[in-house]
Amino acid sequence: MYGLSAALTTNSTVIGNIVSVDTAPEMSREAIDTTHSGSTNGIMTCIPGNKIDPGEIAVTCQYSTQLDYGALFLSGCDTITVTFPKRVTACGQSLPGTAATWASACVWTKLSPKWEFEGLAVITLTFKLSGAPTYVAAAV
Protein backbone atom coordinates (compact mmCIF):
# COMPACT_ATOMS: atom_id res chain seq x y z
CA MET A 1 0.00 0.00 0.00
CA TYR A 2 2.76 2.42 -0.94
CA GLY A 3 1.22 5.90 -0.80
CA LEU A 4 -1.26 5.12 2.01
CA SER A 5 -1.88 8.03 4.38
CA ALA A 6 -3.74 8.47 7.66
CA ALA A 7 -4.84 11.57 9.55
CA LEU A 8 -6.71 12.47 12.71
CA THR A 9 -9.47 15.06 12.46
CA THR A 10 -8.36 17.16 15.43
CA ASN A 11 -4.64 17.06 14.66
CA SER A 12 -3.71 15.85 11.18
CA THR A 13 0.00 16.29 11.94
CA VAL A 14 -0.04 13.38 14.42
CA ILE A 15 0.23 10.58 11.88
CA GLY A 16 3.19 11.30 9.67
CA ASN A 17 5.19 9.12 7.31
CA ILE A 18 3.63 5.68 7.66
CA VAL A 19 6.00 2.73 7.91
CA SER A 20 3.25 0.11 8.30
CA VAL A 21 -0.32 -0.56 9.35
CA ASP A 22 0.32 -3.27 11.93
CA THR A 23 -3.29 -4.02 12.80
CA ALA A 24 -5.97 -3.33 10.22
CA PRO A 25 -9.58 -3.08 11.47
CA GLU A 26 -11.15 -6.47 12.05
CA MET A 27 -14.87 -6.50 12.89
CA SER A 28 -16.26 -9.24 15.12
CA ARG A 29 -19.42 -10.29 16.94
CA GLU A 30 -20.55 -13.11 19.18
CA ALA A 31 -22.27 -16.18 17.79
CA ILE A 32 -25.07 -17.07 20.22
CA ASP A 33 -25.52 -20.82 20.71
CA THR A 34 -29.13 -21.88 20.00
CA THR A 35 -28.54 -25.64 20.13
CA HIS A 36 -31.30 -27.60 21.90
CA SER A 37 -32.32 -31.19 22.51
CA GLY A 38 -34.14 -31.35 19.15
CA SER A 39 -31.23 -30.04 17.05
CA THR A 40 -30.60 -32.31 14.06
CA ASN A 41 -28.01 -34.98 14.94
CA GLY A 42 -26.82 -32.81 17.86
CA ILE A 43 -25.19 -30.37 15.46
CA MET A 44 -24.75 -26.94 17.02
CA THR A 45 -26.77 -24.01 15.68
CA CYS A 46 -26.29 -20.32 16.35
CA ILE A 47 -27.57 -16.83 15.57
CA PRO A 48 -25.56 -13.60 15.24
CA GLY A 49 -25.23 -11.41 18.31
CA ASN A 50 -26.45 -7.82 18.19
CA LYS A 51 -23.25 -6.09 19.31
CA ILE A 52 -20.53 -5.68 16.67
CA ASP A 53 -17.00 -4.82 17.77
CA PRO A 54 -15.40 -2.62 15.06
CA GLY A 55 -11.91 -3.61 16.25
CA GLU A 56 -8.81 -1.46 16.37
CA ILE A 57 -6.15 -0.04 14.09
CA ALA A 58 -2.43 0.29 14.86
CA VAL A 59 -0.30 2.51 12.64
CA THR A 60 3.50 2.72 12.83
CA CYS A 61 5.05 5.92 11.55
CA GLN A 62 8.38 7.69 11.69
CA TYR A 63 8.89 9.27 15.11
CA SER A 64 8.78 13.07 15.08
CA THR A 65 10.79 15.02 17.64
CA GLN A 66 8.57 17.99 16.76
CA LEU A 67 5.50 16.47 18.46
CA ASP A 68 4.66 16.00 22.14
CA TYR A 69 2.97 12.61 21.76
CA GLY A 70 2.04 12.47 25.45
CA ALA A 71 0.06 15.71 25.25
CA LEU A 72 -1.61 14.61 22.02
CA PHE A 73 -2.50 11.23 23.57
CA LEU A 74 -4.44 13.00 26.35
CA SER A 75 -6.96 14.29 23.77
CA GLY A 76 -8.52 10.78 23.85
CA CYS A 77 -11.30 10.68 21.25
CA ASP A 78 -10.90 11.55 17.59
CA THR A 79 -11.73 10.42 14.05
CA ILE A 80 -9.12 8.57 12.00
CA THR A 81 -9.25 8.75 8.21
CA VAL A 82 -7.19 6.45 5.99
CA THR A 83 -6.72 7.52 2.38
CA PHE A 84 -5.75 4.73 -0.01
CA PRO A 85 -3.35 5.24 -2.91
CA LYS A 86 -4.95 5.81 -6.29
CA ARG A 87 -4.65 2.63 -8.34
CA VAL A 88 -5.81 1.59 -11.79
CA THR A 89 -7.80 -1.63 -12.07
CA ALA A 90 -6.24 -2.77 -15.36
CA CYS A 91 -3.29 -1.88 -17.60
CA GLY A 92 -3.84 1.16 -19.77
CA GLN A 93 -6.58 2.69 -17.60
CA SER A 94 -6.26 6.11 -16.02
CA LEU A 95 -5.95 6.77 -12.30
CA PRO A 96 -9.15 7.52 -10.37
CA GLY A 97 -9.76 11.24 -9.83
CA THR A 98 -10.57 10.72 -6.15
CA ALA A 99 -8.86 8.23 -3.85
CA ALA A 100 -10.84 5.79 -1.69
CA THR A 101 -11.10 6.64 2.01
CA TRP A 102 -12.04 4.80 5.18
CA ALA A 103 -12.92 6.66 8.41
CA SER A 104 -14.01 5.85 11.94
CA ALA A 105 -14.46 7.53 15.30
CA CYS A 106 -11.76 6.23 17.62
CA VAL A 107 -10.25 6.32 21.09
CA TRP A 108 -6.46 6.58 21.26
CA THR A 109 -5.44 3.65 23.48
CA LYS A 110 -1.67 3.20 23.20
CA LEU A 111 1.62 4.85 22.21
CA SER A 112 4.58 2.56 21.59
CA PRO A 113 7.82 4.30 20.56
CA LYS A 114 10.78 2.22 19.40
CA TRP A 115 14.18 3.89 19.45
CA GLU A 116 16.86 1.48 18.23
CA PHE A 117 20.50 2.30 17.69
CA GLU A 118 21.32 2.34 13.98
CA GLY A 119 17.63 2.09 13.10
CA LEU A 120 14.72 4.29 12.15
CA ALA A 121 12.99 5.81 15.19
CA VAL A 122 9.30 4.87 14.94
CA ILE A 123 6.17 5.07 17.04
CA THR A 124 3.12 2.81 16.90
CA LEU A 125 -0.22 4.55 17.52
CA THR A 126 -3.09 2.24 18.49
CA PHE A 127 -6.73 3.30 18.28
CA LYS A 128 -9.89 1.44 19.41
CA LEU A 129 -12.60 2.07 16.85
CA SER A 130 -15.97 3.37 18.01
CA GLY A 131 -19.17 3.08 15.98
CA ALA A 132 -19.65 2.12 12.36
CA PRO A 133 -16.77 3.02 10.00
CA THR A 134 -17.51 4.68 6.67
CA TYR A 135 -15.92 3.75 3.34
CA VAL A 136 -15.95 5.95 0.25
CA ALA A 137 -14.92 4.20 -2.97
CA ALA A 138 -12.49 5.74 -5.44
CA ALA A 139 -14.18 7.73 -8.20
CA VAL A 140 -13.07 8.49 -11.72
Side-chain angles (χ1 to χ4, degrees):
M1 294 306 288
Y2 183 76
L4 182 80
S5 66
L8 296 173
T9 299
T10 59
N11 192 334
S12 62
T13 62
V14 173
I15 300 178
N17 296 327
I18 294 176
V19 175
S20 66
V21 176
D22 305 308
T23 305
E26 185 175 276
M27 296 179 103
S28 65
R29 74 163 118 218
E30 295 294 322
I32 300 168
D33 184 359
T34 59
T35 309
H36 52 83
S37 60
S39 293
T40 305
N41 297 323
I43 297 174
M44 291 181 67
T45 58
C46 60
I47 59 172
N50 291 325
K51 295 190 304 184
I52 297 173
D53 180 351
E56 66 180 25
I57 185 170
V59 178
T60 298
C61 58
Q62 293 176 347
Y63 190 89
S64 172
T65 58
Q66 308 297 299
L67 296 172
D68 180 351
Y69 289 102
L72 294 168
F73 182 77
L74 294 176
S75 65
C77 296
D78 213 322
T79 298
I80 186 169
T81 302
V82 175
T83 303
F84 296 93
K86 295 178 183 179
R87 302 264 191 234
V88 296
T89 55
C91 289
Q93 291 186 331
S94 58
L95 286 173
T98 305
T101 60
W102 174 93
S104 178
C106 63
V107 175
W108 202 342
T109 59
K110 189 172 17 172
L111 288 174
S112 304
K114 185 176 182 181
W115 304 322
E116 293 181 345
F117 293 111
E118 299 298 325
L120 182 64
V122 297
I123 187 164
T124 300
L125 315 170
T126 304
F127 304 92
K128 174 67 177 144
L129 304 180
S130 177
T134 58
Y135 178 76
V136 178
V140 179

